[in-house]
């Protein structure tokens, strides 16, 4: 999700509500972070979505341990 882009989540009403409560804020170092913008409502689902996207992008860039050794089944 870049600046001005939208996420797709099949219309989940709870995530729609949480994303609607969230805005992007820049700090002095130009880092972008989620903020409630004075709302007392929840944004946890949106924050979790951002964290999941971050981890997925890291996995794409670096690959995973399973690329070399394969899946271990117990």
């Amino acid at each position: 999700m870049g600046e001005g882009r939208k996420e797709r989540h099949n219309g989940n009403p709870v995530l729609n509500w949480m994303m609607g409560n969230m805005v992007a804020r820049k700090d002095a170092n130009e880092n972008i972070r989620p903020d409630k913008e004075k709302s007392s409502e929840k944004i946890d689902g949106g924050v979790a979505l951002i964290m999941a996207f971050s981890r997925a992008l890291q996995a794409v860039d670096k690959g995973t341990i399973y690329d070399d050794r394969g899946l271990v089944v117990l």
Side-chain angles (χ1 to χ4, degrees):
M1 285 190 324
E3 197 169 339
R5 294 187 184 167
K6 296 182 182 254
E7 87 292 341
R8 291 176 52 183
H9 55 75
N10 296 325
N12 181 292
V14 175
L15 190 54
N16 274 338
W17 172 67
M18 288 185 186
M19 293 298 287
N21 297 330
M22 189 168 58
V23 296
R25 290 267 184 246
K26 285 187 180 180
D27 64 15
N29 295 321
E30 297 293 312
N31 297 313
I32 300 172
R33 65 178 180 86
D35 190 70
K36 288 184 175 187
E37 190 179 62
K38 302 178 184 175
S39 174
S40 62
E41 303 294 339
K42 301 288 184 192
I43 64 170
D44 302 347
V47 173
L49 182 65
I50 292 168
M51 292 170 67
F53 278 140
S54 172
R55 294 295 293 163
L57 290 172
Q58 288 175 3
V60 168
D61 290 343
K62 295 179 185 174
T64 70
I65 191 169
Y66 304 110
D67 292 337
D68 295 328
R69 81 164 191 213
L71 184 62
V72 176
V73 178
L74 300 176

